Amino acid sequence: MRVDGAIAVVTGAASGMGLATAKALTDAGATVYGIDLRREALDEEFAQLPRARGFALDVSDSAAINEVFGRLEADHGKLDVLVNAAGVSTPGGEQQAWVDGINDRMVNAAKTGETFHPEFLNGITDADFDRVVAINLNGTFYTIRAAVELLKKAGGGSIVNFASVAGLIGLPMPAYYPASKAAIVGLTKAVAAELAPFDIRVNALAPAGVNTAMLSASGDDHVQALLALQPLKRVAEPDEVGRTVLFLASDAGKHFTGQTLSPSGGALMA
């Protein structure tokens, strides 16, 4: 699969699935503009990629997003591929520690046969919910809105949005994450219907466990609990997800739009 000469934007590009996607696209011949909040990590990784430029910003800042797309228009006058991989599972470190503590209790209860019902709702503040939605959902909307005219100038293209299997099946976890990821699926379908006349394809990915630093930090017991939900008893590698994005971005995926593909090891079978 090749995308020679394509101009692409990838958010969440400094690590994990976003970085794997940027690598897959550059390896296949694209020029990639990468966006991530972590300037140092982005600069370090993108220095090793051909035809790649990094921009450090928060995707929930619509003005900053518009500025990057303005730069891209001045440089290339078009866009062929947009990949929205930026996302967070919690609003920050303190909340992550709280979630990890509850997850640890769930895993230990499952081992010992103890009854334990996790409770998250009362521990979620307005600010927590708003922050996750601002990054995962609003940030995706902002980049799509900024990209549309450039995709039209290219005569068509591909948008790939990162949802999650957590937004498609019921799992006990803080509601802000699955809510934001389920919304990505609805956003994808609406935008796919609107942009189809312009030959712009819009699809979503809904992964389960992927071998990233975020997953590793949760501990092996948590990983094993996730694997218990799926028939294929291994987590996905980031480059596997990156190649799936490449498929959707290339001519090989030219008849896919409005779809949600789930590289989840069978956790979701639809």
Side-chain angles (χ1 to χ4, degrees), residues 22-36:
K23 289 179 176 178
L25 289 168
T26 56
D27 286 349
T31 294
V32 173
Y33 280 47
I35 294 172
D36 201 287

Side-chain angles (χ1 to χ4, degrees), residues 13-15 19 36-48:
S15 64
L19 177 59
D36 201 287
L37 188 59
R38 297 160 295 170
R39 179 181 298 279
E40 187 173 322
L42 184 63
D43 289 347
E44 180 179 348
E45 295 293 350
F46 268 51
Q48 304 173 51

Side-chain angles (χ1 to χ4, degrees), residues 26 83 91-92 96 167-168 247:
T26 56
V83 181
Q96 185 63 57
L168 300 173
F247 163 74

Side-chain angles (χ1 to χ4, degrees), residues 79-80 147-159 190-202 254 257:
L79 177 68
D80 302 288
V148 165
E149 293 307 316
L150 289 173
L151 288 161
K152 289 179 181 177
K153 287 182 179 181
S158 175
I159 299 173
V191 176
E194 179 177 341
L195 298 183
F198 304 98
D199 200 25
I200 299 170
R201 299 173 288 110
V202 189
K254 219 168 182 182
T257 198

Side-chain angles (χ1 to χ4, degrees), residues 153-183:
K153 287 182 179 181
S158 175
I159 299 173
V160 181
N161 301 320
F162 273 64
S164 169
V165 74
L168 300 173
I169 63 176
L171 296 171
M173 64 190 308
Y176 40 63
Y177 183 74
S180 67
K181 292 302 187 177

Side-chain angles (χ1 to χ4, degrees), residues 28-167:
T31 294
V32 173
Y33 280 47
I35 294 172
D36 201 287
L37 188 59
R38 297 160 295 170
R39 179 181 298 279
E40 187 173 322
L42 184 63
D43 289 347
E44 180 179 348
E45 295 293 350
F46 268 51
Q48 304 173 51
L49 299 181
R51 301 176 307 280
R53 295 182 63 183
F55 296 86
L57 59 94
D58 187 334
V59 295
S60 69
D61 182 343
S62 63
I65 288 291
N66 291 340
E67 185 176 337
V68 170
F69 280 86
R71 181 87 60 87
L72 189 150
E73 181 173 22
D75 291 345
H76 301 284
K78 67 159 190 168
L79 177 68
D80 302 288
V81 179
L82 169 64
V83 181
N84 285 302
V88 294
S89 58
T90 65
E94 183 178 336
Q95 294 84 358
Q96 185 63 57
W98 169 65
V99 172
D100 286 344
I102 294 177
N103 286 339
D104 287 345
R105 289 189 62 188
M106 276 197 290
V107 170
N108 290 332
K111 286 180 178 179
T112 62
E114 171 194 355
T115 298
F116 175 67
H117 301 294
E119 297 183 15
F120 294 103
L121 288 171
N122 288 335
I124 299 173
T125 67
D126 294 356
D128 291 341
F129 196 93
D130 290 347
R131 179 58 180 159
V132 174
V133 170
I135 296 170
N136 294 358
L137 177 59
N138 297 6
T140 298
F141 168 72
Y142 295 151
T143 59
I144 292 172
R145 183 177 60 187
V148 165
E149 293 307 316
L150 289 173
L151 288 161
K152 289 179 181 177
K153 287 182 179 181
S158 175
I159 299 173
V160 181
N161 301 320
F162 273 64
S164 169
V165 74

